[in-house]
Amino acid sequence: FGHDEEVMGLYGAKVVTSELKSRGIRFAFMLDEGCPVLKNGNFPGVSGPVGLICIAEKGFATLRLSIEHPGGHASAPPPNGGAITMLSNAIVALHNSPMPNLFGQGIEVPMFEHAAASQSWFFRMLSSNLWIFSSILSFAMSFKDSTKAQITTTFAFTTIDGGVKDNVLPNSASVTLNTRLLPGHTVDDVLAHIEKVVNDPQVKVEVLYANEASDISSTESEGYNVIHHTVKQIFHDAIVIPGLLIGGTDTKWYGELCDDVYRFVPSFLSTEDIKRFHGHDELITVKNFEQTVNFYHHLITNLDKSFEVELRDEL
């Protein structure tokens, strides 16, 4: 990965991709960071650990919503409350009217289909008949932030600016909106949704940065099969299924260099471990470190064996 992987990779991965493309280099597949091996009981209906090989990742867009409105003295506010109140109405409207979820049309379909054989009988029935029970599973997933993010495009308001004096109404206010796009939703879909929900021409929307959701990679490719096999070698009790990465990786650039891109972290992580990402006491255990090294050792060895078989078959 590049030196600026955590800040979009514009001067790292993007430049590396451009150089490799200029040399005509393509890869069998890509593997970057992604979902971990979930500890026991963290996947619906599965009592044991679950290894999620992410076959796509959500898109990313940073938008600025802003409004300009005559200010004045706080002792005599206008009926609409002024710029901050008007912008707050837009924020609340978007919070209360999220993008529609696309359950049944995306990666959750192969995810649940692959998991069905290892689920308890009730969840196996649901997962094997998504055409009937998709609304039930969608409802269940909406109760948890991490699973809800798997089935819809999310909105998160992250910074806000407006006003510098406690007794003066500001002339303007703005808020930053971070949205993560589900495969199936585009940046244009988000902008259209915002315009419809906010329904206020005074609120201006500016795209500061955006990249669309990734393509969905195959679960039938050599790359997926080798990763799947390697996960089972290291995490013997885990079931292995495809999933969606709700964060972002450098593969948004490297995807141009191959047909299939996968994302996986070869470590056991709990919900509490994940909360420490980019925060206090971020860590992995010594055992996890050993498993991570072991995973990549076996992955490279397995790939070498796979190519040897290919060559013998050609002969």
Side-chain angles (χ1 to χ4, degrees):
F1 53 86
H3 62 286
D4 57 348
E5 183 266 342
E6 290 293 347
V7 285
M8 307 307 173
L10 295 172
Y11 304 101
K14 184 178 181 181
V15 177
V16 171
T17 297
S18 178
E19 177 63 26
L20 291 173
K21 283 179 67 177
S22 72
R23 299 183 188 184
I25 295 173
R26 286 186 63 79
F27 300 96
F29 69 93
M30 286 276 185
L31 176 63
D32 202 338
E33 63 178 332
C35 290
V37 180
L38 302 177
K39 291 185 176 179
N40 297 6
N42 278 290
F43 190 89
V46 179
S47 58
V50 176
L52 285 167
I53 302 173
C54 296
I55 58 176
E57 68 179 54
K58 298 181 83 171
F60 180 104
T62 299
L63 313 176
R64 179 186 292 125
L65 279 64
S66 60
I67 188 167
E68 294 186 357
H69 189 274
H73 200 278
S75 62
N80 60 21
I84 290 178
T85 301
M86 296 168 72
L87 186 62
S88 297
N89 291 336
I91 294 171
V92 172
L94 288 169
H95 176 74
N96 292 333
S97 300
M99 296 281 288
N101 86 57
L102 300 179
F103 190 95
Q105 304 174 45
I107 294 167
E108 69 283 347
V109 174
M111 180 176 72
F112 279 106
E113 287 176 347
H114 281 71
S118 302
Q119 289 179 302
S120 60
W121 72 268
F122 176 72
F123 279 98
R124 187 183 311 144
M125 177 183 67
L126 299 181
S127 297
S128 301
N129 297 278
L130 291 178
W131 61 285
I132 301 175
F133 299 116
S134 61
S135 60
I136 296 176
L137 280 169
S138 174
F139 181 73
M141 292 181 75
S142 68
F143 280 98
K144 196 173 182 180
D145 293 342
S146 59
T147 52
K148 184 179 179 180
Q150 295 270 339
I151 58 174
T152 189
T153 291
T154 57
F155 289 164
F157 296 95
T158 53
T159 64
I160 192 165
D161 182 57
V164 294
K165 207 167 188 300
D166 60 4
N167 66 340
V168 177
L169 294 168
N171 294 315
S172 63
S174 65
V175 65
T176 303
L177 171 60
N178 182 267
T179 178
R180 304 300 175 104
L181 288 79
L182 195 71
H185 284 154
T186 66
V187 175
D188 286 341
D189 292 334
V190 169
L191 294 175
H193 180 81
I194 291 173
E195 182 179 3
K196 178 181 177 181
V197 171
V198 172
N199 193 29
D200 184 349
Q202 294 185 85
V203 176
K204 306 301 180 185
V205 182
E206 178 186 1
V207 179
L208 302 180
Y209 175 86
N211 64 270
E212 303 287 0
S214 74
D215 292 333
I216 298 175
S217 297
S218 172
T219 57
E220 304 294 329
S221 70
E222 177 194 29
Y224 183 87
N225 290 332
V226 171
I227 297 169
H228 184 289
H229 175 68
T230 307
V231 175
K232 293 292 290 182
Q233 282 181 300
I234 309 304
F235 304 96
H236 310 291
D237 298 330
I239 70 161
V240 184
I241 60 176
L244 171 68
L245 182 63
I246 61 175
T249 69
D250 272 345
T251 59
K252 60 180 164 285
W253 306 114
Y254 293 139
E256 298 181 42
L257 300 172
C258 59
D259 293 329
D260 295 302
V261 177
Y262 303 103
R263 305 148 188 92
F264 176 69
V265 173
S267 295
F268 268 120
L269 295 176
S270 66
T271 304
E272 292 305 311
D273 294 325
I274 294 171
K275 287 180 180 177
R276 289 197 289 260
F277 284 3
H278 303 317
H280 296 297
D281 199 24
E282 184 173 10
L283 57 86
I284 63 170
T285 65
V286 173
K287 180 66 175 177
N288 270 181
F289 179 73
E290 177 191 342
Q291 288 169 323
T292 300
V293 174
N294 210 6
F295 172 83
Y296 286 110
H297 168 78
H298 280 77
L299 179 69
I300 294 168
T301 302
N302 291 335
L303 279 169
D304 188 49
K305 290 177 181 177
S306 177
F307 283 117
E308 285 178 7
V309 171
E310 263 188 32
L311 290 171
R312 284 200 297 271
D313 288 346
E314 290 176 2
L315 294 173

